Amino acid sequence: VQHKIVSGLKYHHTVFRKGIRVDKKSYMVGSYGPKDVLQTFEAPAVMAPKGMLARGSYIRKSQFLDDDKNIYLQWEWRMDIKRDWD
């Protein structure tokens, strides 16, 4: 988001397991004016679920959006929770 004014930038992610939403989080990143300097954002650490029932494959959909619901970056990734890693 270079050379733009961004108001209320948020990092938002939703976690799905077998097509059912199991978690949803939003973190406020802030409001920014145009800058030449690259900025980074590090989300707080989140603990993965534990136990036999939590094992399986999870899909996480992540995005950065502002107060006006403009999406600046969007991606999807998968996380597998297993007992043993072969």
Side-chain angles (χ1 to χ4, degrees):
V1 187
Q2 223 176 8
H3 310 296
K4 290 185 181 181
I5 297 173
V6 179
S7 176
L9 186 65
K10 294 181 222 169
Y11 168 71
H12 178 78
H13 74 249
T14 308
V15 180
F16 296 90
R17 181 169 184 216
K18 297 181 181 179
I20 299 170
R21 187 181 77 199
V22 294
D23 190 25
K24 182 177 171 182
K25 300 258 191 225
S26 285
Y27 300 101
M28 177 59 74
V29 178
S31 298
Y32 300 96
K35 291 183 181 180
D36 290 332
V37 179
L38 181 65
Q39 298 182 109
T40 61
F41 169 72
E42 197 170 308
V46 178
M47 294 297 293
K50 295 185 208 173
M52 189 172 76
L53 294 177
R55 291 181 195 148
S57 182
Y58 293 81
I59 301 293
R60 179 172 285 185
K61 296 181 180 182
S62 301
Q63 60 186 0
F64 281 98
L65 63 142
D66 65 10
D67 285 340
D68 298 326
K69 307 292 185 216
N70 295 320
I71 298 173
Y72 292 97
L73 181 63
Q74 184 173 5
W75 68 99
E76 184 175 306
W77 50 288
R78 189 177 118 179
M79 174 177 63
D80 291 324
I81 298 178
K82 299 180 179 182
R83 180 177 180 190
D84 293 319
W85 296 95
D86 301 325

